[in-house]
Amino acid sequence: FKGFLSACYLLYQLTDAETISGDTNLFYNISMVGASCFVFLSGFGHAMYFYCRNHYRPTRIMKVLFRLNMSAFFLCLLMGQPYIFYYVCPLHTMAFLLTFGIMKTQRMLNYTKFGLRIKLLALAGIFFVVWDFNAGLFDLLFTVFFPQGPPSIGLANGPLYEWYYHTHLHHWAVFVGIVYAINYPITSLLMDKTELLADTQATLAKGTVCISLIVALSLWLSGPFTTPKFAFDSTHPYFAFLPILSYVYFRNVTQWMRQHHLGIFKSLGSFSLEIYLFHKHIFMANDGTQMLVLVPGYPKCNVVATGILLLVVARTVHKMTVIVGGMILPSDNEGKCIRAFITIGVCGTAF
């Protein structure tokens, strides 16, 4: 799924679909749904790991943070860009830390009847107060990380506004991902039981859910999805779960579909973070504002050349991140791992 989303995002950037004129840009709206899918998968994946393995060792936490931020850190040093320019990294870092916090806090409650539900309700309350109630708490929490500064390339309204803009668009996607992960075992069991029913009963059960989702999607497509950019941005956090969960259901509605996938998308998904980071400088140029030209006068050949270069670099950097992370953050030496992580943190803070 991540590989498919990455391919769609590159196509979106290649065609410059965001600049299409008109009151409503459906391509922009689709891209925001795709971004919410990534954040949903982040919350889902991390919550599944913590819930199923009950593993909260510091080495695991530091390795994930290193994996999410190493490439962006060096790009900031190399290109002279602020951290928020690569907003995907802090966005997924926040998703991971929120997931870790809610699962780690009183973790013995995660396996009781109401304990985890109460913690999720508390997390929902925090989301509402920070992002939806807008009483100034957001500025208080994040100004220290993303101060209000002058506009720059890619940051038309300064770092703090850009951080609010992106986190507000996708904050509920994290929550839905966590909730879905917690309910995944029972959902999977229910799907397996449905497959054991008689064909008529199974078709009726699946068809009822399909029709309900199609009706809901139709209302969303004819309503919030087709609104202009600013109206769409204001409603997207509260409706993004609908196309995401609909896709998850339709993609897994039969046992055959659950057992098959495209290998190329699986491969792309393993280094989707690097694809996003480096497309701004390899696939595109001038900090993502223009198309990089390697083969002048042959636009199709140029797209192929820059695309291949991007994939090779992204895959190589992904492998390097994994190797370097294993070297300086060893899983079998927690003390060394903590010292190395603190050193990296100090260097990053100094930058």
Side-chain angles (χ1 to χ4, degrees):
F1 190 27
K2 286 184 178 180
F4 173 72
L5 292 174
S6 296
C8 290
Y9 182 75
L10 290 179
L11 182 63
Y12 172 77
Q13 292 292 338
L14 174 65
T15 57
D16 201 19
E18 188 176 1
T19 61
I20 294 177
S21 60
D23 292 336
T24 303
N25 187 341
L26 297 182
F27 295 103
Y28 167 81
N29 296 354
I30 293 173
S31 73
M32 290 299 102
V33 174
S36 290
C37 288
F38 274 111
V39 180
F40 166 84
L41 290 172
S42 184
F44 170 79
H46 295 309
M48 277 290 294
Y49 179 89
F50 292 130
Y51 187 68
C52 295
R53 299 196 180 187
N54 195 26
H55 182 274
Y56 301 88
R57 291 183 60 188
T59 52
R60 160 72 181 179
I61 312 307
M62 290 181 282
K63 280 180 174 292
V64 172
L65 294 177
F66 181 84
R67 163 77 178 89
L68 288 173
N69 293 282
M70 190 199 80
S71 297
F73 174 71
F74 283 104
L75 279 174
C76 289
L77 291 176
L78 181 64
M79 307 303 298
Q81 290 290 357
Y83 181 46
I84 188 62
F85 184 75
Y86 306 100
Y87 73 89
V88 163
C89 294
L91 182 62
H92 285 270
T93 298
M94 185 190 73
F96 169 70
L97 292 176
L98 284 171
T99 306
F100 170 75
I102 196 65
M103 298 299 293
K104 171 67 173 176
T105 303
Q106 297 294 316
R107 60 179 179 175
M108 71 288 297
L109 298 177
N110 294 343
Y111 307 100
T112 61
K113 186 175 182 179
F114 297 108
L116 190 53
R117 292 180 174 88
I118 294 174
K119 292 202 296 181
L120 290 173
L121 284 175
L123 180 63
I126 293 172
F127 279 8
F128 176 79
V129 172
V130 174
W131 278 278
D132 302 318
F133 189 62
N134 195 19
L137 186 58
F138 179 89
D139 292 354
L140 182 64
L141 290 175
F142 294 109
T143 299
V144 64
F145 303 106
F146 303 101
Q148 294 180 352
S152 61
I153 297 177
L155 304 174
N157 298 286
L160 184 62
Y161 175 82
E162 292 297 323
W163 179 237
Y164 177 78
Y165 170 73
H166 292 295
T167 54
H168 179 266
L169 277 174
H170 310 300
H171 65 286
W172 285 112
V174 182
F175 181 81
V176 175
I178 297 173
V179 172
Y180 184 75
I182 302 306
N183 290 277
Y184 175 79
I186 191 172
T187 303
S188 180
L189 179 62
L190 183 61
M191 292 295 290
D192 291 339
K193 287 186 175 181
T194 304
E195 298 291 345
L196 298 176
L197 296 175
D199 291 343
T200 303
Q201 292 177 314
T203 302
L204 180 61
K206 294 178 181 179
T208 302
V209 178
C210 286
I211 293 174
S212 301
L213 289 175
I214 290 172
V215 170
L217 277 175
S218 300
L219 294 174
W220 174 72
L221 288 170
S222 61
F225 180 71
T226 57
T227 55
K229 180 179 185 297
F230 293 106
F232 176 82
D233 287 348
S234 65
T235 59
H236 174 69
Y238 316 106
F239 290 100
F241 75 93
L242 185 57
I244 294 173
L245 295 184
S246 296
Y247 170 83
V248 171
Y249 181 78
F250 291 129
R251 173 63 180 83
N252 298 279
V253 70
T254 67
Q255 191 174 23
W256 183 87
M257 294 181 69
R258 293 195 294 272
Q259 293 174 346
H260 292 80
H261 65 273
L262 290 176
I264 186 172
F265 288 144
K266 180 181 179 180
S267 178
L268 288 176
S270 64
F271 51 93
S272 58
L273 176 63
E274 287 76 14
I275 290 176
Y276 171 81
L277 292 175
F278 286 94
H279 95 276
K280 291 176 175 287
H281 307 293
I282 297 178
F283 195 65
M284 312 293 287
N286 197 16
D287 295 324
T289 59
Q290 297 175 346
M291 185 70 187
L292 178 65
V293 178
L294 296 179
V295 189
Y298 298 89
K300 294 181 180 179
C301 294
N302 186 72
V303 169
V304 174
T306 54
I308 293 175
L309 179 61
L310 170 63
L311 295 180
V312 170
V313 171
R315 187 169 181 266
T316 302
V317 172
H318 169 71
K319 288 186 175 181
M320 289 175 58
T321 304
V322 174
I323 293 172
V324 173
M327 292 173 59
I328 66 177
L329 299 172
S331 300
D332 57 351
N333 191 333
E334 189 169 302
K336 181 179 178 181
C337 185
I338 293 174
R339 289 192 298 271
F341 186 79
I342 292 175
T343 302
I344 297 171
V346 171
C347 294
T349 304
F351 167 73

